[in-house]
Amino acid sequence: MKMFNKILATISMLVLTTNIAFSAEKWDMALAYGASNFHSANATEFAKNVSEKSGGKLTIVTHPGGSLFKGGEIFRAVRTGQAQIGERFMSALGKEDPLLEVDSQPFLATSYSDAMKLYKASKPEIVKGLDAKGLVFLYAVPWPAQGLYSKKEISSVADLKGLKFRAYNSATIRIAELTGMAPTKIEAAEISQAFSTGAVESMITSPTTGKNSKIWENGVKYFYDIAAWFPKNMVIVNKDAWNKLDADTQKLVMKEAVLAERKGWALSKKGNVADKKALANAGMVVGKVNSSLQSHFEKVGETMAKEWSQKAGSRGATVLSSYK
Ligand code: PCA
């Protein structure tokens, strides 16, 4: 019996050490948006490429549509290691770090090329901030330009007054406050329901999100292409999970992240045109706001820029000066 135990112990020792030598990691990737959303599709391709090229050392399993964690839970889940990797809408995390909100400041970056410049200017500080929270930043991809959806036609500042408005972060809440609308924060997954029950009647988001939630089926007739900002999603990894990878695998993940970021920006640009067409094809009125509304939103933007600068302090000032 003793002999048997000894053999058993030796075998399990061997199994253990072999496991360490060829440690195969599995990461669960939490995604908030539906599988057909371009962010999710891009992340799925990234996961597949890493899994295939790592020689069995790392497998990334994606969980789209909030099936593992909902949008609002993903940051904490990755931070605490409940999910090893996840994607989150950056500007919903202003309480974690005001720099994560820089891409949702109205009229700071109104084209893809400016959005890229702002991304490059803000990335070093953002990466540092995430690192301090035990997170490794992989890549970020913008949503198409944000526009105003409404059930009713909006032709004056007065038309905004009292509108029940779906917000997705502090910046959109602030816009609503400064324009007299009544904001409620609602995740993208609940948009259709919120409009169909009448809980809300307007929102600011991309043509993509309006298309994905078939917003025209819920009585929303108007899309005003304000194009005032390009908010991003980012993909982050728990640092303990990251440290379990060998150097080659870490290098592979970073290389695939660069590719995913490039593809994601290209997909976003495509959607920025195609998804507006899809809204029009579905019978919605797609246009611009008139000039008095436009200047009203621009003034709101100026107020918010001042407020954000105060919150973001010297780190924010560094980002803005390297952007400009
Ligand atoms: N869609 C997401 C974030 C920005 C966007 O275009 C949403 O509406 O929640």
Side-chain angles (χ1 to χ4, degrees):
M1 196 61 196
K2 253 191 196 155
M3 189 61 182
F4 180 72
N5 277 345
K6 247 190 200 160
I7 292 170
L8 210 64
T10 316
I11 289 174
S12 46
M13 265 295 285
L14 267 174
V15 169
L16 264 178
T17 41
T18 328
N19 254 344
I20 289 162
F22 302 99
S23 100
E25 299 297 328
K26 180 190 162 240
W27 286 359
D28 285 308
M29 185 173 201
L31 303 168
Y33 306 95
S36 65
N37 178 277
F38 79 93
H39 288 288
S40 301
N42 193 41
T44 301
E45 202 186 322
F46 160 79
K48 184 171 158 261
N49 288 339
V50 170
S51 303
E52 280 174 8
K53 293 179 191 174
S54 77
K57 285 197 219 157
L58 174 61
T59 305
I60 304 179
V61 181
T62 52
H63 303 272
S67 56
L68 186 61
F69 290 102
K70 294 210 163 62
E73 304 165 341
I74 289 175
F75 186 79
R76 197 171 46 99
V78 177
R79 217 183 149 182
T80 56
Q82 287 171 287
Q84 293 77 12
I85 181 169
E87 180 189 62
R88 178 56 175 152
F89 186 50
M90 295 169 80
S91 58
L93 297 166
K95 287 204 179 85
E96 297 288 342
D97 182 354
L99 287 196
L100 290 165
E101 291 183 306
V102 72
D103 65 14
S104 286
Q105 299 311 309
F107 304 104
L108 185 57
T110 58
S111 66
Y112 275 101
S113 66
D114 279 353
M116 178 53 95
K117 262 206 253 165
L118 183 60
Y119 172 41
K120 284 189 177 150
S122 57
K123 189 176 165 184
E125 279 299 325
I126 285 175
V127 170
K128 249 190 258 169
L130 291 168
D131 178 72
K133 291 178 190 285
L135 292 162
V136 178
F137 175 94
L138 292 192
Y139 68 85
V141 170
W143 291 87
Q146 305 291 292
L148 174 66
Y149 288 82
S150 174
K151 289 190 177 180
K152 290 188 307 188
E153 187 173 3
I154 295 169
S155 42
S156 70
V157 175
D159 289 337
L160 296 169
K161 280 262 153 1
L163 280 186
K164 288 180 274 175
F165 177 83
R166 176 261 167 170
Y168 57 52
N169 63 9
S170 314
T172 48
I173 289 175
R174 192 67 187 129
I175 291 174
E177 287 168 354
L178 292 168
T179 55
M181 297 189 279
T184 311
K185 205 167 150 190
I186 295 168
E187 287 290 330
E190 270 95 54
I191 288 176
S192 306
Q193 206 200 348
F195 276 90
S196 70
T197 58
V200 294
E201 52 198 334
S202 65
M203 68 175 167
I204 295 180
T205 187
S206 57
T208 309
T209 293
K211 186 195 88 175
N212 289 351
S213 37
K214 294 203 170 76
I215 200 66
W216 54 86
E217 290 183 356
N218 299 304
V220 179
K221 184 108 212 271
Y222 299 91
F223 178 75
Y224 300 96
D225 189 15
I226 309 178
W229 67 96
F230 292 80
K232 297 185 294 296
N233 284 357
M234 65 176 174
V235 172
I236 46 175
V237 175
N238 176 282
K239 214 195 272 180
D240 293 335
W242 178 256
N243 288 336
K244 285 189 188 142
L245 303 180
D246 62 25
D248 282 349
T249 311
Q250 288 181 345
K251 227 159 107 194
L252 168 71
V253 173
M254 282 302 178
K255 195 175 142 212
E256 291 300 324
V258 170
L259 295 176
E261 183 168 282
R262 201 175 301 151
K263 280 187 210 157
W265 281 71
L267 286 170
S268 180
K269 281 180 200 169
K270 241 168 100 183
N272 195 40
V273 177
D275 296 343
K276 253 180 279 185
K277 276 199 194 125
L279 298 182
N281 289 343
M284 289 181 65
V285 180
V286 175
K288 300 266 178 199
V289 288
N290 62 34
S291 60
S292 75
L293 273 164
Q294 179 69 23
S295 57
H296 184 62
F297 280 118
E298 283 170 12
K299 269 193 215 109
V300 165
E302 282 165 28
T303 305
M304 289 177 60
K306 278 185 211 133
E307 291 174 352
W308 183 80
S309 296
Q310 273 163 12
K311 268 198 287 185
S314 64
R315 288 168 70 233
T318 307
V319 168
L320 289 184
S321 75
S322 96
Y323 172 58
K324 283 168 183 161

